[in-house]
């Protein structure tokens, strides 16, 4: 099947305070990513007439999988999710390294293991989605931030973020929360001299004031402004050094210091 047989739309459904449930749509079929709540998905299906063909889960937290049971009761579709996590309803367990296909909407994903926020967290990378590719990364990489370390170690999270950082720079990043604006307040504290962070903060403030989403972001934008990907930047290393009281030995120590600072910010 050719990659360009379908025009795939990616839509955001809002859930809870700040969650995004991503919906991939083509030819009257939809797949949903991280349906923490079934209601907005069911509303979309009713009003559009689209048919649900698959559910993708990135990790086990309730705000990502809370709608699974209700959706499955009505639509017995395949559910992809991390093999390492106990998520009732997952029929297609994934550990990273797999390649999956959703034939109804003509999309293929490479599965990337990104432990750290949770121990089995996975990301779905679609190299041929849209013009530049797209990655659905749940609570691993956020706009100007990263997920908290609930189950993994800082070294695991840094390694996971490094896997996302090497995706092609134009790749669009579809994370699961609208946290960009508050994350940028922290990014400003880490790199107060950064014009890129300052500019992004201004643009983000304008977008939020107008009610616009800041997601998707891109790998390119994150590499320029996200302190949790910038372990090699001199300003970020210096900020880590002043927290630690010594020069960080490596990327993991830099990342760890920045993450711990953010936990108390
Ligand atoms: Zn989570
Ligand atoms: Fe979440």
């Amino acid at each position: 099947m050719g990659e360009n047989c379908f025009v795939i739309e990616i839509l955001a459904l809002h859930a809870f305070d700040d969650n995004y449930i991503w919906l991939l749509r083509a030819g009257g079929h939809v797949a949903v990513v991280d349906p923490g709540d079934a209601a907005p998905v069911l509303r979309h299906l009713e009003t559009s007439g689209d048919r649900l063909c698959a559910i993708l889960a990135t990790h086990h937290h309730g705000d990502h999988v809370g709608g699974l049971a209700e959706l499955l009761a009505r639509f017995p579709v395949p559910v992809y999710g991390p093999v390492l996590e106990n998520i009732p309803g997952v029929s297609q367990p994934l550990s990273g390294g797999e390649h999956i296909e959703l034939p109804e909407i003509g999309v293929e994903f490479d599965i990337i293991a990104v432990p750290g926020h949770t121990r089995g967290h996975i990301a779905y990378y679609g190299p041929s989605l849209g013009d530049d590719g797209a990655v659905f990364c749940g609570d691993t990489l956020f706009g100007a931030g990263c997920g908290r370390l609930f189950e993994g170690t800082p070294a695991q999270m840094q390694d996971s973020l490094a896997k996302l950082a090497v995706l092609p720079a134009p790749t669009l990043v579809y994370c699961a929360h609208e946290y960009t604006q508050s994350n940028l307040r922290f990014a400003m504290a880490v790199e107060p001299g950064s014009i890129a962070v300052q500019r992004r903060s201004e643009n983000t403030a304008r977008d939020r004031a107008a009610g616009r989403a800041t997601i998707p972001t891109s790998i390119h934008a994150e590499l320029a402004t996200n302190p949790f990907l910038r372990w090699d930047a001199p300003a970020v290393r210096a900020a880590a050094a002043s927290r630690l009281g010594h020069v960080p030995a490596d990327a993991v120590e830099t990342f760890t210091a920045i993450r711990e600072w953010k936990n108390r910010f």
Side-chain angles (χ1 to χ4, degrees), residues 45-237:
L45 296 174
E46 275 157 29
T47 56
S48 65
D50 287 345
R51 284 195 292 175
L52 188 66
C53 66
I55 299 172
L56 313 181
T58 62
H59 67 291
H60 69 86
H61 287 159
D63 61 313
H64 299 255
V65 298
L68 273 185
E70 197 178 338
L71 290 174
L72 275 180
R74 303 218 203 166
F75 309 102
V77 298
V79 181
Y80 296 85
V83 68
L84 284 179
E85 300 185 358
N86 178 26
I87 305 174
V90 168
S91 60
Q92 318 287 325
L94 301 166
S95 56
E98 298 93 341
H99 183 84
I100 66 167
E101 244 187 280
L102 308 180
E104 292 90 342
I105 54 174
V107 63
E108 300 181 19
F109 287 109
D110 295 322
I111 309 306
I112 307 173
V114 287
H117 178 67
T118 60
R119 60 188 278 268
H121 201 306
I122 54 175
Y124 297 84
Y125 171 51
S128 60
L129 260 178
D131 292 334
D132 299 310
V135 65
F136 296 87
C137 57
D139 289 355
T140 297
L141 177 64
F142 290 130
C146 76
R148 280 178 185 275
L149 306 181
F150 286 117
E151 297 172 15
T153 65
Q156 275 180 320
M157 188 60 145
Q158 191 271 334
D159 184 58
S160 295
L161 291 167
K163 292 181 194 171
L164 300 177
V166 298
L167 295 177
T171 303
L172 294 180
V173 176
Y174 291 84
C175 56
H177 290 272
E178 179 64 61
Y179 288 159
T180 313
Q181 193 166 18
S182 67
N183 285 339
L184 281 165
R185 283 192 276 275
F186 177 70
M188 285 287 277
V190 179
E191 293 190 87
S194 165
I195 303 292
V197 173
Q198 217 167 298
R199 210 170 276 150
R200 188 176 184 190
S201 297
E202 288 161 11
N203 291 338
T204 295
R206 201 175 312 126
D207 283 340
R208 295 308 292 151
R212 284 191 295 270
T214 68
I215 309 300
T217 170
S218 67
I219 295 295
H220 173 80
E222 297 315 314
L223 288 173
T225 55
N226 188 326
F228 298 102
L229 293 184
R230 293 173 55 73
W231 45 73
D232 287 332
V236 175
R237 285 175 51 78

